[in-house]
């Protein structure tokens, strides 16, 4: 199962909502779960500008800097280098970790790219690459049932 199939399944699983005592199954974009309006608008702008792009190269990075035991800066960024040059970065405040910062950058790229695009993502985190290579052979059901060691 491809990553886009997993995202589509997550999108379809999250669309059921109750409106006026009637179940509404209207699909919507997973970017609606991004709560900061400024961040969501930037991601939607990038998504719109990529609608007709078929081949996309993206570079992702996460950053994590611990200042003290109670002060941490964390962020995620990506650069899309195709026919259109687009970049995005965001600060993250909840549950800081290096792994999370890297993974969020990759997920954001997948969310803004068209589902029918050929995407190459360059990642500098070997742990992300290793885990992806482990789970790409599994079905979504195996992945959701399995437990992964958290490093």
């Amino acid at each position: 199962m491809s990553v886009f199939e997993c995202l589509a399944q997550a999108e379809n699983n999250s669309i059921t909502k109750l409106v006026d005592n009637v179940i509404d199954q209207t699909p919507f974009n997973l970017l609606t779960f991004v709560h900061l309006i400024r961040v969501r608008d930037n991601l939607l702008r990038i998504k719109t500008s990529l609608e007709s792009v078929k081949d996309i190269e993206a570079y992702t990075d996460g950053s994590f800097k611990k200042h003290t035991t109670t002060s941490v800066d964390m962020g995620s960024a990506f650069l899309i280098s195709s026919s259109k040059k687009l970049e995005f970065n965001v600060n993250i405040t909840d549950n800081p970790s290096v792994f999370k910062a890297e993974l969020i950058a990759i997920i954001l790229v997948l969310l803004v790219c068209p589902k029918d695009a050929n995407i190459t993502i360059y990642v500098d985190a070997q742990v992300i690459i290793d885990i992806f290579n482990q789970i790409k052979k599994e079905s979504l059901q195996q992945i959701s049932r399995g437990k992964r060691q958290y490093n």
Side-chain angles (χ1 to χ4, degrees):
M1 181 178 287
S2 75
V3 173
F4 278 112
E5 288 174 297
C6 293
L7 286 172
Q9 194 166 26
E11 189 172 322
N12 288 334
N13 288 341
S14 65
I15 61 173
T16 303
K17 57 185 175 182
L18 193 61
V19 178
D20 296 327
N21 294 326
V22 177
I23 294 178
D24 180 11
Q25 298 249 343
T26 307
F28 60 94
N29 193 311
L30 285 175
L31 291 175
T32 59
F33 292 106
V34 176
H35 296 293
L36 290 175
I37 294 170
R38 175 186 52 81
V39 173
R40 182 182 331 137
D41 288 347
N42 286 339
L43 290 168
L44 288 170
R45 180 185 50 75
I46 292 170
K47 183 177 180 69
T48 301
S49 69
L50 291 172
E51 283 177 349
S52 63
V53 179
K54 296 298 178 201
D55 294 306
I56 297 171
E57 285 189 348
Y59 298 83
T60 64
D61 199 13
S63 68
F64 180 87
K65 186 171 185 180
K66 186 174 184 178
H67 300 288
T68 65
T69 56
T70 59
S71 176
V72 174
D73 285 335
M74 182 175 69
S76 297
F78 64 79
L79 170 72
I80 293 179
S81 175
S82 55
S83 59
K84 300 180 180 201
K85 308 280 189 246
L86 303 162
E87 59 184 70
F88 176 83
N89 63 57
V90 65
N91 291 330
I92 303 165
T93 56
D94 296 332
N95 305 314
S97 80
V98 175
F99 186 78
K100 179 180 179 181
E102 295 283 350
L103 198 54
I104 285 176
I106 295 167
I107 291 169
L108 290 175
V109 166
L110 293 174
L111 288 176
V112 300
C113 289
K115 292 180 181 179
D116 61 343
N118 298 314
I119 306 167
T120 303
I121 300 176
Y122 296 95
V123 180
D124 66 352
Q126 188 62 45
V127 67
I128 299 282
I129 296 167
D130 293 342
I131 290 173
F132 178 78
N133 286 332
Q134 288 173 8
I135 67 172
K136 74 179 182 181
K137 300 172 193 139
E138 299 176 6
S139 70
L140 184 59
Q141 188 176 34
Q142 289 171 313
I143 293 168
S144 65
R145 288 184 182 168
K147 294 193 178 199
R148 301 266 175 252
Q149 183 176 1
Y150 184 73
N151 296 324

